[in-house]
Amino acid sequence: MTGAEPWLALPPALATPPGAGAICDAEGARKIGRGAAEGAFTTAPVMVAHASLTARRLGLAAPGRSQDLLDVLELFAFARPARFCAPSAAGLALSLGLSEPKGAEAQAAALREAARLLLLELASPAYPGREEAFGLNETLGRAGWAWSPFVAGALQHQPLRPRQHRSAGIDAWARLPEWEDEAPRGEAGSAPVDSESARIRLEKLLQASGLDESRPTQSDYAAEAAFAFSPRNEEGRPRVLLAEAGTGTGKTLGYLAPASLWAERNQGAAWVSTYTRALQRQIDRESAALWPDPAERKKKAVVRKGRENYLCLLNLQEMVHAAQLGNGDLIGMALASRWAMHSRDGDMTGGDYPGWLPGLFATTAGHQASPANLVDRRGECVHAACPHYRVCFVEKTIRASRRADLVVANHALVLTQAAFDGARSARGLKSDGETAALKRIVFDEGHHLFDAADSAFSACLSGQEAAELRRWIRGPEGRGRRGRGLEQRLGDLCADTPDALTALNDAIRAAAQLPGEGVSGRIAPPSGEMNPVGPIERFLAASLEQLRARTSEGSQPGGADFGMECALRPVTEPVLETAREAARAIQAVEAPLLALARHLEDILDDEAAELDGGARARIEGALRGLDRRARMTLPAWRSMLAALDNDTGEADPDFVDWLSAEAAFGRIHDVALRRHWIDPTVPLEAAVVVPSHGVLITSATLSDPMADDPFDMARLRTGSARLIEPARTLKVDSPFDYAANSRVIVVTDVAKDDPRQTAAAMRELFLAAGGGGLGLFTAIRRLKAVYERLGPDLAKAGVPLYAQHVDPLEVGALVDVFRAEQDSCLLGTDAVRDGVDVPGRSLRILAFDRVPWPRPDLLHRARRLKFGGESAAGRAYDDALARAKVAQAFGRLIRRADDKGVFVMLDAACPTRLFAGLPPGAEVQRMTLVEAIELTGGFLQT
């Protein structure tokens, strides 16, 4: 096969790394100026990698689709559906087995070569699913996809079966295999896992992974972790182990060894819960050591997330049909449908869906094939009434997890489901099965467990939350809006039960009192003229007035980035009066929803002999949604409002209630009444820890060396402090040589409040390192200010700079690009710090803009008082939290034994005690910026 094939006659490839541009055609690659690059991008047929990002680098608006603009990332999504690729020229090159292209000319050449290789792949006789791909490409061609003629030529290079009518190939919902129910697995056994067996299993896992080196600390870790997988002796006395394992210990395989043994011996599922999606993916990959055969691993290891993470096939069908009628992006929907046919589990957020796909071209946000539009975020699932119920990704995954040996979940799912199951159990009802088997659980990234519990067990009455509830009950009320209300989901089930139908109609009528679409424009309009509609909006408007009276925008901790907040008490009279009215409106919604739930429960009971499986599944699904709202959300809202009528004026000592206003781009977009546990480990202990048989809570940063007992803070923040049987503790140090491979610097002469100085410092440090820099910020506003100054300076040196909250990529994609491009730099906030796993040279210098002190908001002040007390003890609590964040960030820097890295704090006031959590050998040096630049260059360039 030669380049003479017409479908290989590709247009030029354009690369626009910062500060440079290059184009590559059949004659080769050459540098071009910005004007020429802009001309090629806007007027000539050209290939790019990520059209929107390319446009932003050229100072242009994100482009719409055009026959002259061919994004190679879309070609990749078609040719290799559900396969990973970082969204850049370098990412494409690496995914295709090429070396990383450095510089504009190399990137342009690599981009052209990537397109050529993908087309040759499509033309290969061994390419799978050729007929299906050809049918879909015809649909894409009719929709105007720029790649369609090239793809058609490649696919037709090998003979295709002649067909009079060929499928459009866009209906994934009609092509997916159905799930099948199996008999219940039954209660897991109680066979113990001994330490020696765990060591032997670990050795086998290491051999299966091709790792022959002896790591005694990893073996010790696995042996001790077996404690959490041994049978408990009394109900309410779980075996809990707090285990700190330094970076490089190999803790994932360390706990998978006893976990897999326990699952085998007891015919049960061991759960592993993480905080970040990146670690979920990593654990899933490492499970290949247990089950090398992909088909077996698919059955044995299941990744579980909340329902809102998975593709909803009914949403996909509706949006595809709308796009076919001209109301949406048919090309994006077709590529999403192709992905669905090849996806492992339909996970759109952190799974195998290319999250960058919907953002390549400028299309109407509501019509994009994005997770926001294609997952079930509003609890509108109709369960067995859905025509795609038998092929539903969520149902498949739930059923698979019931038969799996290893379930890799996340803290949010585990905790919210445990809270829900606990509420049902308290009423004598069975749980819904998603975490009913939660007997043995590993909480990896255990240092985040407190925050996850804080989120799971809190309550928030806001305009947006109330509007979501209204939409869930009444369905979409605006033109062009999608969704399904209660009547559509339950009307036919209630038709033969007059009392149930009455309750349904009463709930729909009462929900009209809840806020509708556009609530923020009525309670916080830019003009300042409030126009609240209904009792909830009047309460929120009065709350905003109290907020403005007690504080001012921008004066809060974090400033304009975080809006406003104020203590609830003393309550103003307007807030008190409107709260009573709002409580009555909420009660009016809650009562018929409860009645409806009772009537549906009666139908399950009275008609048990007549109900088919589909109807039963629909009712049980509806009851789950009703339970969450009528027995959890609405009572929590009423409780908060009722507390305002407390005659004593005293707040509940277990909770913090406050008012807040969230702001973005200089305007308020929501107002809320919030309630959080001061100590969220109270419900965490009751709902998760105590009912379990064994719990392993592990992290690289659990202990605090400045405390008398290093694990005191971990006990306090994991729900293990109050256990009848005390938790065991384990600390395993990292095997890395930090004295030789790392440097820790506090720069003493940079003004942290001046973004110009911060930008200049990061510029010189990143350049001294030759790139590979990660800048971490405690506020979005400062990040953007530094980016504006830093970007052009790095561009002149040919160093790419990416930034969270700036670039049109979600955090995971940004980290993927940063990892792929070895000399690029990245700016981000906490989400980047927690989600970065970048071994090797791609991350070699990490710079904090300032000390990551906890934000001194109302909730934190209440916790500091409870856990630390006044004066010195309270300061020690703040220190411990900041020290943990510094240690967690440092842990991102050295991921392998041969990594070298420099950690820089650009805050001269940073106390040395905050570095006490760093591993032995990581010594802190204080010096001027000039000295830091010299040290960085000399250390990293050798």
Side-chain angles (χ1 to χ4, degrees), residues 18 109 113 118 168 245 348 350 371 436 442 456 577 590 597 619 635 651 674 702 738 743 804-805 819 860 869 919:
E113 179 64 5
L118 288 168
M348 297 194 77
V442 177
E577 290 297 324
E590 182 183 341
I619 293 174
R674 300 180 181 275
L702 274 184
Y738 289 99
R743 297 291 182 267
Q804 183 190 9
H805 304 293
R819 185 186 297 111
H860 173 72

Side-chain angles (χ1 to χ4, degrees), residues 9-14 41 44-51 64-75 111 115 119 145-151 360-361:
L10 294 166
L14 174 68
F41 184 77
V46 68
M47 297 187 296
V48 296
H50 209 295
R65 295 190 182 279
S66 163
Q67 289 289 330
D68 290 337
L69 190 56
L70 295 86
D71 200 312
V72 183
L73 288 168
E74 279 195 335
L75 178 61
L111 193 55
L119 289 171
W145 191 38
W147 281 108
S148 186
F150 299 91
V151 169
L360 298 182
F361 293 96

